[in-house]
Amino acid sequence: MITRRLLPFSVLIALAILVVIPLIFIVLQALFPHFGQGDFSQIFQPIIHLFNEQELASLLQNTFLLGLGVALVSAVIAIPLGALRGLFNLPFARVWDLLFLIPFLIPPYIAGLSWMLTLQPNGYSQQLFGISPGSALFSLGGMVVIMSLNLFPVLYFAVSRSMAANGNRLADVAQVHGASTWQAFLRVTLPLSLPSIAAGLLLVFTLAIEEYGIPAAIGSPNGIRVLTTDIEQRLADWPIDLPGAASLSLVLASLALLAYTLQRALVSGRNVATNTGKAAALVTRSLGIWRIPAVCLFSFVALCAVGMPLLAMLGTAFSNTVSGGLTFDNLTLRHFSGLLNSHTEALDALLTSVSLATATAILTGVLGFLCAWLVVAQRIRGASLLDGLSLLPIAIPGIVVAVGLILAWNQPFWPVSPYHTWGILLLAYSCLLLPYPVRYCSAALTQISGSLSDAARVHGAGVMRSLRLILFPLVLPSLVAAMMLVFAVASRELVSSLLLAPAGMQTVSIFVWRQFEQGSIGSGMAMACLAVLISLVLMLCAQYIQQRYSR
């Protein structure tokens, strides 16, 4: 009984440490410029100073245009592809789905660096196709295109699944009553999918304005600044501007929270529904003469979004020098062998990332399972608070979490602080990735009948014993899949690692970033290939576990 009472309190304390404390310290620092010295005077001065800065309008404009541009370009790519995938008998449909999962596995900063190598003068595109866009890559439009190729699968899967679920059955009914094919699509099929499309667009917009890697790699060197890069600059350049960074973080978090709130509202409350009383039958049509053009379209998008970044990664990793080009004489394995040599910073970075990712997966797995159990199965008092806190990091940009942790744990009044230790990275990764286990476990617990726990209690088992012997084994496959996903994402997290890693400590993402800064591009791309391979293997394992135990 004592354990049952202490468990919700313990979970709430853990969520407060991971989520609430960083956000509170961001707000306090944004309100009081000298908060770190215990001075609560000059309230609102940092926010007032921020809104008086002439650069703020440019930062907001670039950030908004970047998010809006990525959403629009992603829509141009994803909506036609999703419609073809969901409504028609598309050749190699599962192959395209698998290929379009790969951009999720390539961290955006690695994708950006790969496109720099591809499109720069005498880059891979010029060597293979004779195409060189010149300086067009290093512009706001260039960033929009690259980020769209990395994020469009978010919208593609939303559109394809929505249109496949709605099917062609109602469109066929409309055609029977005199509507043309395009009228049936525009007045029946498309409206049924509009909520999912709108929610997907808002999610893409949110992910775009939160991204740091591509704007830092492509935009910052060319004078294109956005909110994420300016926050990092205020923390990295001397003199450090903590109040300014906190105020900008509040602005960015507010934009992300607004977009995410709209996305949630569209998904949960405004779906167009049919009144047939049963799910629509899955009816796909033949593409006919458009079969080959559709395959060509999917092939072209896969080449741009998947083939070219992977080619740049592999080509650079296996090339002795970048200037040597894609020739047999320039092939080498020395970059990979250098990663695995003992007592090298590459091996230390890899071991550090593996250790941190493992610890993050365990911590978020345990906490996520307990949160889901208390909210879904136990429905304790305050369940909505626990649920909201556990899912709040979805809408918080990674750089905002990093700023909050800096402000929270770099204070003199703490008797013990994780700052300047690997523990601060563990807190950052766990905060950002906690929603994955919560969602996976919540979905699994929702499908488990409460009669199993009732039967266990009738036979004398307590709540904790029922949890340990019945619910946990049933949820374990989904939990393991979520923990694998957490491991894969944590092992390549960039912005939190750059801002929070103690001096002398490197992770995989920091190693790749530093190698590019130092000109050791081959070693950086070799490490990037290894990180993507690990993510791919874990993602496939997670999908296999879920599919096997969901049958």
Side-chain angles (χ1 to χ4, degrees):
M1 182 64 68
I2 295 178
T3 303
R4 183 183 176 185
R5 290 178 178 177
L6 287 178
L7 189 58
F9 181 74
S10 301
V11 171
L12 183 61
I13 292 297
L15 291 176
I17 293 174
L18 287 179
V19 182
V20 179
I21 289 179
L23 294 181
I24 288 177
F25 274 82
I26 288 178
V27 174
L28 289 174
Q29 185 67 77
L31 293 178
F32 306 102
H34 307 293
F35 168 74
Q37 291 77 39
D39 184 358
F40 292 91
S41 62
Q42 299 180 358
I43 187 171
F44 297 118
Q45 192 62 37
I47 297 177
I48 295 173
H49 178 72
L50 174 66
F51 281 94
N52 287 331
E53 291 183 7
Q54 295 181 352
E55 297 178 345
L56 178 61
S58 176
L59 290 174
L60 290 173
Q61 177 180 328
N62 288 341
T63 301
F64 183 79
L65 289 178
L66 180 64
L68 183 62
V70 172
L72 291 177
V73 175
S74 297
V76 171
I77 299 173
I79 293 177
L81 296 182
L84 289 172
R85 173 66 177 91
L87 299 176
F88 295 93
N89 185 16
L90 182 71
F92 317 112
R94 293 186 178 181
V95 175
W96 304 124
D97 286 351
L98 180 61
L99 285 176
F100 291 156
L101 276 176
I102 294 179
F104 286 117
L105 306 178
I106 303 177
Y109 68 95
I110 292 179
L113 298 174
S114 299
W115 277 107
M116 288 174 60
L117 293 170
T118 302
L119 300 179
Q120 66 185 359
N122 200 32
Y124 298 124
S125 65
Q126 187 171 1
Q127 295 178 37
L128 293 175
F129 310 111
I131 300 173
S132 178
S135 60
L137 170 66
F138 303 98
S139 64
L140 186 61
M143 289 195 301
V144 165
V145 173
I146 291 174
M147 293 178 69
S148 300
L149 291 174
N150 191 256
L151 293 175
F152 86 89
V154 174
L155 185 58
Y156 163 79
F157 285 108
V159 174
S160 62
R161 297 301 181 263
S162 175
M163 290 195 175
N166 295 326
N168 289 304
R169 186 171 58 87
L170 295 177
D172 291 339
V173 174
Q175 288 184 272
V176 169
H177 287 79
S180 66
T181 301
W182 277 108
Q183 286 177 327
F185 175 79
L186 293 175
R187 296 185 181 183
V188 178
T189 306
L190 185 60
L192 287 171
S193 301
L194 278 180
S196 296
I197 294 174
L201 286 172
L202 285 169
L203 183 56
V204 170
F205 175 86
T206 305
L207 294 173
I209 65 173
E210 294 177 0
E211 175 55 31
Y212 168 80
I214 292 178
I218 298 176
S220 292
N222 298 278
I224 303 172
R225 297 165 57 190
V226 294
L227 288 175
T228 52
T229 56
D230 204 71
I231 292 171
E232 190 274 339
Q233 185 178 358
R234 291 172 187 252
L235 294 173
D237 294 348
W238 187 262
I240 295 175
D241 184 11
L242 289 178
S247 301
L248 274 181
S249 297
L250 277 184
V251 173
L252 179 60
S254 299
L255 290 176
L257 281 170
L258 177 61
Y260 182 72
T261 302
L262 291 174
Q263 186 260 343
R264 291 275 292 182
L266 286 171
V267 171
S268 60
R270 296 186 179 180
N271 286 331
V272 179
T274 61
N275 295 319
T276 61
K278 58 182 179 179
L282 180 59
V283 179
T284 57
R285 295 173 177 168
S286 173
L287 284 166
I289 61 173
W290 297 101
R291 185 182 181 91
I292 294 179
V295 171
C296 292
L297 177 62
F298 273 78
S299 300
F300 176 74
V301 174
L303 174 64
C304 293
V306 181
M308 295 305 293
L310 288 181
L311 175 64
M313 290 171 57
L314 294 172
T316 307
F318 285 102
S319 295
N320 190 36
T321 61
V322 176
S323 59
L326 298 174
T327 62
F328 286 104
D329 296 337
N330 197 35
L331 291 177
T332 183
L333 294 174
R334 68 180 181 90
H335 300 305
F336 287 96
S337 61
L339 296 180
L340 303 178
N341 287 338
S342 59
H343 306 296
T344 62
E345 60 176 350
L347 185 60
D348 291 340
L350 183 60
L351 293 177
T352 299
S353 285
V354 169
S355 301
L356 276 171
T358 302
T360 303
I362 295 173
L363 177 59
T364 57
V366 173
L367 185 58
F369 171 73
L370 293 176
C371 287
W373 176 67
L374 291 172
V375 172
V376 176
Q378 294 297 297
R379 299 180 182 178
I380 63 169
R381 181 179 301 176
S384 58
L385 176 62
L386 286 181
D387 190 41
L389 290 178
S390 63
L391 295 177
L392 181 60
I394 294 177
I396 302 177
I399 195 167
V400 175
V401 172
V403 171
L405 289 171
I406 292 173
L407 297 173
W409 297 109
N410 191 26
Q411 301 294 337
F413 52 76
W414 295 114
V416 178
S417 174
Y419 200 66
H420 293 306
T421 70
W422 62 269
I424 196 70
L425 286 177
L426 178 61
L427 290 178
Y429 295 170
S430 299
C431 177
L432 291 172
L433 301 175
L434 177 62
Y436 290 106
V438 173
R439 282 188 161 183
Y440 275 61
C441 293
S442 297
L445 286 169
T446 302
Q447 298 175 356
I448 298 174
S449 174
S451 60
L452 295 177
S453 298
D454 295 339
R457 285 196 292 271
V458 168
H459 288 81
V463 174
M464 300 308 297
R465 190 176 181 184
S466 174
L467 170 66
R468 178 171 56 89
L469 297 179
I470 297 177
L471 292 181
F472 182 73
L474 292 174
V475 176
L476 186 59
S478 295
L479 179 59
V480 171
M483 291 173 66
M484 286 183 175
L485 182 59
V486 167
F487 182 97
V489 177
S491 62
R492 85 282 178 100
E493 166 62 25
L494 175 64
V495 64
S496 299
S497 302
L498 286 175
L499 291 177
L500 299 173
M505 178 180 177
Q506 286 204 80
T507 62
V508 166
S509 56
I510 295 177
F511 178 84
V512 175
W513 193 261
R514 298 289 185 242
Q515 294 302 305
F516 267 78
E517 289 183 337
Q518 298 167 9
S520 302
I521 301 175
S523 298
M525 276 306 182
M527 179 67 84
C529 290
L530 189 58
V532 171
L533 178 61
I534 293 174
S535 298
L536 177 61
V537 171
L538 290 175
M539 182 74 76
L540 293 177
C541 290
Q543 286 192 339
Y544 172 76
I545 290 173
Q546 273 205 309
Q547 291 176 0
R548 179 179 178 182
Y549 287 93
S550 62
R551 294 173 182 173

